[in-house]
Amino acid sequence: MKQVTSKLLIVSALIIVLCELIGKISIPVGKVNIILFPMLYAVAIGLMITPDLLGKKIKALQKILGNKEVKLAGEFVGMALLILGVKYGTLAGPNFQKIIEAGPAFLAQEFGHILSPLIALPLALFLGMKREAVGATSSISREPSLGVIGEKYGIDSPEGSGVLGTYLIGTVLGTIVFGILGSVSIHTGIHPYALGMACGVGSGSMMTAAVAALAETVPFEMRDTVVAYAATSNMLSGITGVNFLIFITLPLTNKLYAILEPKLGRRGVKSNASN
């Protein structure tokens, strides 16, 4: 175990040093600057050197970073996000009055959870998914959603496969996508504080990537408040998101599935319904 931990820490340190040396990258696309922070290409590098990608081609790499190291890395990420949460919490304190004033807005933005089944479910059905679509589109499929879907349907069920698939895709690509969105969202004309709230979707890594890029695009005096709004929103999304999933979005997704599946579902794919 010590050897696995040592190899993981050394590889992580090398990736950190490399990405910090590269530094922040700004890519101009028309009038928009897409800002890529070290965290984003650290995720990309970490993904590339796993046993399932470059590890298949480079056997020596598997000896350095194998499945045991990959499994342990997931646990380390969870611990690191806890530390990150404490850091963001220190920004919420000085901006507490502004957060209290925006209280109703924080609660109202939680209704954004409803958009997941409304937008994603029809697309999933059109692409050929069956009951997997219920698990995949009833939430943003982070850890609390895995627990709810796993408890209700079983993680080995079609719904469980759907939520797990979205969870894995979000883990791999979500941070990169959210980092890009954070860069370009300021050009929508939406107030920076509202964008800060939008960064907090209930995922520590996605929120961090998005708000880091967003903070670079807003006036300097707004940065700490934007980060505080994002951290507070992320915390609320994690707490209220479970209740929304249980009482609102999951029943809504099942209802929409019953209505839309006969119209949008592909007949050639066998339905594996669950109650």
Side-chain angles (χ1 to χ4, degrees):
M1 185 63 182
K2 288 184 178 179
Q3 185 179 11
V4 172
T5 303
S6 298
K7 288 193 292 184
L8 179 60
L9 291 176
I10 292 172
V11 171
S12 299
L14 291 175
I15 293 175
I16 290 170
V17 171
L18 174 62
C19 293
E20 288 295 333
L21 287 175
I22 297 173
K24 182 177 67 177
I25 298 175
S26 180
I27 304 175
V29 180
K31 296 182 179 180
V32 177
N33 273 336
I34 297 176
I35 303 172
L36 303 180
F37 283 84
M39 177 183 177
L40 301 185
Y41 29 95
V43 171
I45 293 172
L47 172 64
M48 291 299 296
I49 64 176
T50 57
D52 292 328
L53 291 176
L54 287 181
K56 285 185 176 180
K57 304 292 183 180
I58 306 173
K59 299 301 180 183
L61 190 58
Q62 288 188 7
K63 297 180 180 179
I64 300 173
L65 197 66
N67 291 322
K68 290 182 179 179
E69 286 77 14
V70 171
K71 183 178 180 180
L72 183 60
E75 299 177 6
F76 276 17
V77 168
M79 291 186 288
L81 289 176
L82 289 175
I83 299 172
L84 184 65
V86 173
K87 176 182 181 296
Y88 284 141
T90 62
L91 293 176
N95 293 280
F96 186 72
Q97 185 59 41
K98 292 180 180 178
I99 291 172
I100 292 298
E101 292 172 357
F106 279 113
L107 296 177
Q109 62 107 27
E110 294 306 312
F111 284 93
H113 290 285
I114 297 175
L115 292 178
S116 182
L118 291 179
I119 296 175
L121 180 63
L123 179 60
L125 292 174
F126 179 76
L127 293 175
M129 295 179 72
K130 292 296 182 182
R131 289 296 300 179
E132 294 85 357
V134 173
T137 67
S138 56
S139 66
I140 65 165
S141 300
R142 305 318 299 160
E143 288 82 356
S145 305
L146 286 175
V148 172
I149 298 297
E151 179 68 23
K152 183 173 178 61
Y153 299 103
I155 204 64
D156 294 327
S157 65
E159 294 85 354
S161 298
V163 70
L164 185 59
T166 306
Y167 173 81
L168 294 174
I169 293 297
T171 300
V172 174
L173 300 178
T175 302
I176 297 174
V177 172
F178 266 62
I180 295 173
L181 287 176
S183 300
V184 302
S185 60
I186 194 66
H187 298 282
T188 62
I190 299 173
H191 195 283
Y193 292 166
L195 294 174
M197 289 184 190
C199 292
V201 296
S203 168
S205 57
M206 294 182 191
M207 182 271 290
T208 300
V211 78
L214 175 63
E216 287 290 314
T217 64
V218 303
F220 180 80
E221 63 274 11
M222 287 186 171
R223 290 184 181 181
D224 284 351
T225 303
V226 165
V227 174
Y229 274 28
T232 303
S233 176
N234 199 64
M235 178 187 67
L236 288 174
S237 293
I239 296 172
T240 63
V242 174
N243 295 314
F244 259 80
L245 175 60
I246 295 172
F247 297 110
I248 299 178
T249 56
L250 186 54
L252 174 62
T253 305
N254 276 305
K255 183 66 175 179
L256 289 175
Y257 180 88
I259 296 172
L260 297 177
E261 198 281 329
K263 300 176 181 178
L264 299 178
R266 293 188 178 181
R267 297 298 94 198
V269 181
K270 184 180 179 181
S271 180
N272 193 0
S274 299
N275 293 319

